Amino acid sequence: MKYFFSAGEYSGDMHAATLIREVRKKDSQAKIWGMGGPLMAEAGADLLVDPTSDSTIGFWEIGKKFFSFKKYLSQLTRFLKENRPDVMVWVDFGGFNLLLAEQASALSIPVVCIFPPSAWAYGKGRAIRLANCVSHVVSVLPFEADFYREYAVKVTYVGHPLVDRVRPLIDRELWRKSQGVTDEEKVILLMPGSRSQEVRQILPVMLEAVAQVALEDKKLRFFLPVAPTIGRERLRSYLSAYPGLVKTISSEDVYNLMAAADLGIVASGTATLEAALLGLPIIVTYRITKFSAFVFQILRNKEQRNKPVMVALPNLIQGRRVVPELIQDELTAENLASQFRSFLGQKELVEEVREELLGINELLGPPGIMERVAKIVMAEAAQKR
């Protein structure tokens, strides 16, 4: 059968690549095209467009790339018309993929959506549009499945793919020893995001905050895994202002680091759930431009508008604030340093948070998630035939 996958940023590229491998196990003759990144290409997809190194967040930031995405949409729509895949698989990247899914649906191509847009936050309009063009929503979060079922679209809750992926490869103590960490020292994880824009907004604040606390506590060791979409050179200009403070490591070592760490300071996104699955207490940071934040408030559901904003996946899954969030104007070096000190000084709080986070594992489904998704994708493709 013929498959078209569409992902637009690093995490989507990662999940799509895993799903492509599962599809290939079951369909050895599969022909797979798509929009995505190097991980999808490595998994065997023929890429038509790669926007992953240029992905962004925020309404103003996306607006500045309008003409690039318009070109992608035109190019991919033409490809769908000429090649008529048996199914389109939409993996996250909701703003663009909703437009592409509408084009696919108009061509009678079934659309399977995994990681659908956060319509529970933005309102019914986007959910209605999705229901009109998507054949099957594959939900990775329990509350997400309940929300989309209200819109007469076929929904299957499968659990979150990170359940199968997030595992350290070596023992905690062995990793710490390999990095020269003593028993008395604490390992602190820093993750400022996988987009250049996130790093620019968040990393300087992170570094200023941890530098303050490091002056007070000499037994802290800071590690920063380098996202493939960022690279060490781009980080150097920020880290050079604090020589010797932070050690960079390969992104391939990130789960070993998370399992060995005592605390993390992490930008909102996939990494917050990865940390939660390993029971790592974290402080979540998030910042977009003021214009984008203003638009977000306007677009929020009426029901959500008067509630405190929550962005961290562990908090959204639990329906309450389990880990602290510092977002927008709250994200200052002083506030972050204060929150950091609070965690360092309260062992009981750290253990409480750790136990809460480990409980999330039970909510995200049994292993074998992408195998279940592959069966759904193939079933939808077979119906077209």
Side-chain angles (χ1 to χ4, degrees), residues 7-21:
E9 53 194 347
Y10 176 71
S11 61
D13 183 39
M14 175 183 73
H15 290 305
T18 304
L19 180 53
I20 287 168
R21 289 191 175 91

Side-chain angles (χ1 to χ4, degrees), residues 138-366:
V138 178
S139 175
V140 301
L141 299 169
F143 65 86
E144 175 185 80
D146 293 339
F147 175 85
Y148 275 108
R149 286 191 182 105
E150 296 178 10
Y151 292 89
V153 62
K154 191 191 305 182
V155 180
T156 301
Y157 173 59
V158 294
H160 203 289
L162 289 178
V163 169
D164 291 319
R165 174 179 287 273
V166 178
R167 291 189 182 91
L169 297 177
I170 61 175
D171 177 74
R172 165 188 169 93
E173 296 307 323
L174 186 60
W175 190 90
R176 291 169 70 100
K177 186 177 180 180
S178 74
Q179 299 296 324
V181 178
T182 67
D183 292 342
E184 294 77 28
E185 291 176 317
K186 286 186 167 64
V187 171
I188 311 299
L189 164 72
L190 303 179
M191 293 188 73
S194 60
R195 303 177 180 93
S196 297
Q197 171 196 344
E198 290 174 320
V199 171
R200 188 169 59 249
Q201 294 269 12
I202 295 170
L203 184 55
V205 181
M206 274 190 186
L207 292 174
E208 185 180 347
V210 301
Q212 289 179 24
V213 180
L215 289 174
E216 306 159 7
D217 189 340
K218 303 298 183 184
K219 293 183 179 179
L220 301 176
R221 296 283 302 278
F222 300 96
F223 294 86
L224 192 158
V226 181
T229 48
I230 302 299
R232 293 178 189 271
E233 291 301 318
R234 193 168 291 180
L235 292 173
R236 191 165 294 169
S237 60
Y238 298 104
L239 299 179
S240 61
Y242 302 90
L245 179 66
V246 178
K247 181 176 181 178
T248 58
I249 64 166
S250 166
S251 62
E252 295 176 358
D253 211 17
V254 66
Y255 296 148
N256 294 329
L257 169 55
M258 284 182 171
D262 298 284
L263 177 66
I265 302 175
V266 180
S268 177
T270 302
T272 63
L273 188 52
E274 291 172 323
L277 290 170
L278 289 169
L280 175 64
I282 54 174
I283 301 166
V284 177
T285 62
Y286 188 70
R287 181 185 284 166
I288 52 178
T289 64
K290 290 185 177 181
F291 174 79
S292 293
F294 173 72
V295 174
F296 169 76
Q297 286 292 350
I298 292 174
L299 294 179
R300 287 183 82 196
N301 266 339
K302 289 181 181 178
E303 297 82 2
Q304 298 287 334
R305 208 168 287 165
N306 295 323
K307 296 180 181 178
V309 176
M310 287 196 302
V311 298
L313 281 169
N315 292 342
L316 292 170
I317 290 167
Q318 294 283 34
R320 55 192 170 80
R321 190 158 290 193
V322 176
V323 296
E325 299 183 8
L326 293 174
I327 61 177
Q328 293 305 106
D329 293 342
E330 294 175 351
L331 180 56
T332 65
E334 291 72 24
N335 287 347
L336 183 53
S338 175
Q339 189 72 65
F340 187 17
R341 292 186 190 98
S342 179
F343 263 102
L344 292 174
Q346 299 184 62
K347 289 183 179 179
E348 297 82 3
L349 173 62
V350 170
E351 288 309 310
E352 277 180 31
V353 172
R354 192 186 305 280
E355 289 301 314
E356 289 263 23
L357 294 177
L358 287 171
I360 288 175
N361 278 275
E362 299 174 9
L363 302 176
L364 295 183

